[in-house]
Coordinates of all heavy atoms in Angstrom, one line a residue:
A260 N 12.0 11.3 12.4 CA 11.5 10.0 12.8 C 10.1 9.7 12.2 O 9.8 8.6 11.7 CB 11.5 9.8 14.3
I281 N -0.8 -4.3 -11.6 CA -2.2 -3.7 -12.0 C -2.0 -2.8 -13.2 O -3.0 -2.7 -14.0 CB -2.9 -3.1 -10.8 CG1 -2.1 -2.0 -10.2 CG2 -3.3 -4.1 -9.8 CD1 -2.9 -1.2 -9.1
L327 N -13.0 14.0 18.3 CA -13.1 15.2 17.5 C -14.5 15.4 16.9 O -14.9 16.5 16.7 CB -12.0 15.1 16.3 CG -10.6 15.2 16.7 CD1 -9.7 15.3 15.5 CD2 -10.3 16.4 17.6
W361 N 6.2 -14.8 -0.1 CA 6.8 -15.2 -1.4 C 8.2 -14.5 -1.5 O 9.2 -15.1 -1.9 CB 6.0 -14.8 -2.6 CG 4.6 -15.4 -2.7 CD1 4.1 -16.5 -1.9 CD2 3.6 -15.1 -3.6 NE1 2.9 -16.8 -2.3 CE2 2.5 -16.0 -3.3 CE3 3.5 -14.2 -4.6 CZ2 1.3 -15.9 -4.0 CZ3 2.3 -14.1 -5.3 CH2 1.2 -15.0 -5.0
T380 N 10.7 -19.6 -18.8 CA 10.0 -20.9 -18.4 C 10.5 -21.4 -17.1 O 9.7 -21.8 -16.2 CB 10.2 -21.9 -19.5 OG1 10.2 -21.3 -20.8 CG2 9.1 -23.0 -19.4
W393 N 0.3 -25.4 -1.6 CA -0.3 -24.5 -0.5 C 0.5 -24.5 0.8 O 0.7 -23.5 1.4 CB -1.7 -24.9 -0.3 CG -1.9 -26.2 0.5 CD1 -2.1 -27.5 0.0 CD2 -1.9 -26.4 1.9 NE1 -2.2 -28.4 1.0 CE2 -2.0 -27.8 2.2 CE3 -1.7 -25.5 3.0 CZ2 -2.1 -28.3 3.5 CZ3 -1.8 -26.0 4.3 CH2 -1.9 -27.4 4.5
S396 N 3.6 -22.1 0.5 CA 3.2 -20.7 0.6 C 2.7 -20.4 2.0 O 3.1 -19.3 2.6 CB 2.0 -20.5 -0.4 OG 1.6 -19.2 -0.5
R413 N 6.3 -6.4 21.0 CA 7.3 -5.9 21.9 C 7.5 -4.4 21.7 O 8.2 -3.7 22.4 CB 8.7 -6.5 21.6 CG 8.6 -8.1 21.7 CD 10.0 -8.7 21.5 NE 10.9 -8.1 22.4 CZ 12.3 -8.1 22.3 NH1 12.8 -8.8 21.2 NH2 13.1 -7.6 23.1
Q421 N 15.0 3.3 12.6 CA 16.4 3.6 12.3 C 16.9 2.8 11.1 O 17.6 3.3 10.3 CB 17.2 3.3 13.5 CG 17.0 4.3 14.7 CD 16.9 5.7 14.2 OE1 17.8 6.2 13.5 NE2 15.9 6.4 14.5
A448 N 12.6 1.2 -24.6 CA 11.7 2.1 -25.2 C 10.3 1.5 -25.2 O 9.3 2.3 -24.9 CB 12.2 2.3 -26.7
F455 N 3.8 5.2 -20.4 CA 3.4 6.6 -20.5 C 2.6 7.0 -21.7 O 2.2 8.1 -21.8 CB 4.7 7.5 -20.3 CG 5.3 7.3 -19.0 CD1 6.5 6.7 -18.8 CD2 4.7 7.8 -17.9 CE1 7.1 6.6 -17.6 CE2 5.2 7.7 -16.6 CZ 6.4 7.1 -16.4
S463 N -11.4 1.6 -18.8 CA -12.8 1.4 -18.3 C -13.0 2.1 -17.0 O -12.1 2.5 -16.3 CB -13.1 -0.1 -18.1 OG -12.3 -0.5 -17.0
L478 N -0.2 4.9 -0.7 CA 0.1 6.0 0.3 C -0.3 5.6 1.7 O -0.1 6.4 2.6 CB -0.6 7.3 -0.1 CG -0.2 7.9 -1.5 CD1 -1.0 9.1 -1.7 CD2 1.3 8.1 -1.5
N527 N 11.4 -10.4 -23.0 CA 11.4 -11.9 -22.8 C 10.1 -12.5 -23.3 O 9.7 -13.6 -23.0 CB 11.6 -12.2 -21.3 CG 13.0 -12.0 -20.9 OD1 13.9 -12.7 -21.1 ND2 13.2 -10.8 -20.3
G534 N -0.5 -10.7 -14.0 CA -1.1 -10.8 -12.7 C -0.2 -10.7 -11.5 O 1.0 -10.3 -11.7
I575 N -1.2 -3.3 11.0 CA -1.8 -4.0 12.2 C -1.8 -3.0 13.4 O -2.5 -3.2 14.4 CB -1.0 -5.3 12.6 CG1 -1.8 -6.2 13.5 CG2 0.3 -5.0 13.2 CD1 -1.2 -7.5 13.7
E576 N -0.9 -2.0 13.4 CA -0.8 -1.1 14.5 C -2.1 -0.4 15.0 O -2.4 -0.4 16.2 CB 0.3 -0.1 14.3 CG 0.6 0.9 15.4 CD 1.0 0.3 16.7 OE1 1.7 -0.7 16.7 OE2 0.7 0.9 17.8
A578 N -5.1 -1.5 14.9 CA -5.9 -2.5 15.6 C -5.3 -2.7 17.0 O -6.1 -2.8 18.0 CB -6.0 -3.7 14.8
V596 N -3.4 -12.0 19.5 CA -4.7 -12.4 19.1 C -5.1 -11.9 17.7 O -5.6 -12.6 16.9 CB -5.7 -11.8 20.2 CG1 -7.2 -12.1 19.7 CG2 -5.5 -12.5 21.5
L638 N -11.0 1.4 1.2 CA -10.0 2.5 1.3 C -10.6 3.8 0.7 O -10.6 4.8 1.3 CB -8.7 2.2 0.6 CG -7.8 1.1 1.3 CD1 -6.4 1.1 0.7 CD2 -7.7 1.3 2.8
G641 N -13.2 5.1 3.1 CA -12.6 5.6 4.3 C -12.0 7.0 4.0 O -12.2 8.0 4.7
L662 N -2.4 23.2 10.7 CA -1.5 23.0 9.5 C -0.3 23.9 9.5 O 0.7 23.6 8.8 CB -2.4 23.3 8.2 CG -3.1 22.1 7.7 CD1 -3.6 22.3 6.3 CD2 -2.2 20.9 7.6
L687 N -17.5 10.6 -8.0 CA -17.6 10.5 -9.5 C -17.0 9.1 -9.9 O -17.5 8.4 -10.8 CB -17.0 11.6 -10.2 CG -17.7 13.0 -10.1 CD1 -17.0 14.0 -10.9 CD2 -19.1 12.8 -10.7

Side-chain angles (χ1 to χ4, degrees):
I281 58 174
L327 292 185
W361 297 352
T380 325
W393 75 266
S396 186
R413 304 187 52 200
Q421 291 315 309
F455 294 110
S463 70
L478 299 179
N527 291 279
I575 199 175
E576 179 61 29
V596 172
L638 293 191
L662 274 191
L687 287 182

